[in-house]
Amino acid sequence: MEVGIVAQKGNNRAAFLAEDLRDRLREVDVRVAVDEATADALGLDGIPVAEMDGVDLVVSVGGDGTFLFAARGAGGVPILGVNLGEVGFLNAVAPEEAVDAVLAEVEAFRGEGMRVREAPRLAAECDGWRSEPAANEVVVQGARRGRGGGVGYEVRVDGSLYSSGHADGVLVATPTGSTAYNLSEGGPLVHPSVDGLVVTEMCAEGGMPPLLADPGAAVSVTLTDADEAVVITDGRGQRTLDVPTEVTVATTEPPVRVAGPSSDFFEALGKLQ
């Protein structure tokens, strides 16, 4: 078995815990790959996070942002999140329980197999271009937000017109991402056991309430009345598009596969207050 470890960059506590996990895993004959930034902090050899899709389990040590970063490289590999952040919707394991939780997954892998939960990913497409998969959200917006910015838009769900007008942009989120950027834009909270795509208009002039669409739906956003627009995935990947254009957002493979215990959704919500 091989385990990959991705620790929050610049966080000494995360790096030291990654080193402890590495040592304990090697004691039980597990090969360990550490991300390059963590390896530099510890004086080790590391691999790019983009190559973590070749291991059997990825351990993310940090906050939800670190988990999303690890998920980009993990592909369909199960991820176990150790929470060093404040909220921890994606990271269910406390630091003091990290070693035991990871070793339990090693034992499961060597036995009947790890139990994993799946969460959807989204991708945007436009004129032959396809975005990186997003675990939280895809944002389609004008090149500039606020007064004098934004973009004209029409939103269709499986071809049927849902809303139109002028807005800063349109956000499409997974249930996982409902607690992230979607929430700050006035979108609804969605329990992780509920399937669906959340469609939220961003600072729309009029518009419609946020919508929970079928998880298999295709959400198309037609953009007008601007020179440029941008597509942003999970706050990282960004693509500039010429307007007018149409962007389609839908679920994509592989889903995020989450290993280890589940976080308490309502307990994590309480930390947002």
Side-chain angles (χ1 to χ4, degrees), residues 242-257:
D242 292 330
V243 175
T245 192
E246 181 180 69
V247 180
T248 299
V249 181
T251 56
T252 188
E253 295 292 332
V256 179
R257 304 180 72 221

Side-chain angles (χ1 to χ4, degrees), residues 27 70 103 140 202 232 270:
E27 289 174 3
L103 292 179
V140 183
M202 302 161 61
I232 306 169

Side-chain angles (χ1 to χ4, degrees), residues 179-195:
T179 59
Y181 193 9
N182 167 74
L183 187 61
S184 67
E185 291 291 341
L189 291 169
V190 181
H191 192 277
S193 65
V194 176
D195 291 332

Side-chain angles (χ1 to χ4, degrees), residues 140-155 163-170 201-208 221-228 243:
V140 183
Q141 67 177 52
R144 183 166 58 87
R145 297 194 62 175
R147 183 179 295 273
V151 66
Y153 71 96
E154 291 183 349
V155 179
S163 187
S164 63
H166 190 276
D168 283 355
V170 177
E201 296 160 89
M202 302 161 61
C203 297
E205 298 174 4
M208 293 285 286
V221 184
T222 301
L223 303 172
T224 59
D225 301 331
D227 293 328
E228 291 182 337
V243 175

Side-chain angles (χ1 to χ4, degrees), residues 9-92:
K9 187 176 181 180
N11 185 325
N12 289 334
R13 185 185 181 198
F16 293 147
L17 181 51
E19 184 176 36
D20 188 24
L21 287 168
R22 174 180 177 269
D23 292 344
R24 294 295 298 274
L25 285 166
R26 294 178 73 182
E27 289 174 3
V28 294
D29 297 323
V30 174
R31 299 188 306 279
V32 181
V34 180
D35 74 275
E36 289 177 316
T38 304
D40 287 344
L42 298 176
L44 305 172
D45 293 328
I47 68 170
V49 174
E51 296 179 11
M52 290 288 180
D53 60 350
V55 304
D56 300 299
L57 172 69
V58 172
V59 180
S60 166
V61 183
D64 283 351
T66 305
F67 188 101
L68 292 174
F69 178 57
R72 281 179 175 262
V77 174
I79 308 173
L80 184 149
V82 178
N83 185 30
L84 298 185
E86 295 181 357
V87 181
F89 286 104
L90 297 170
N91 303 286

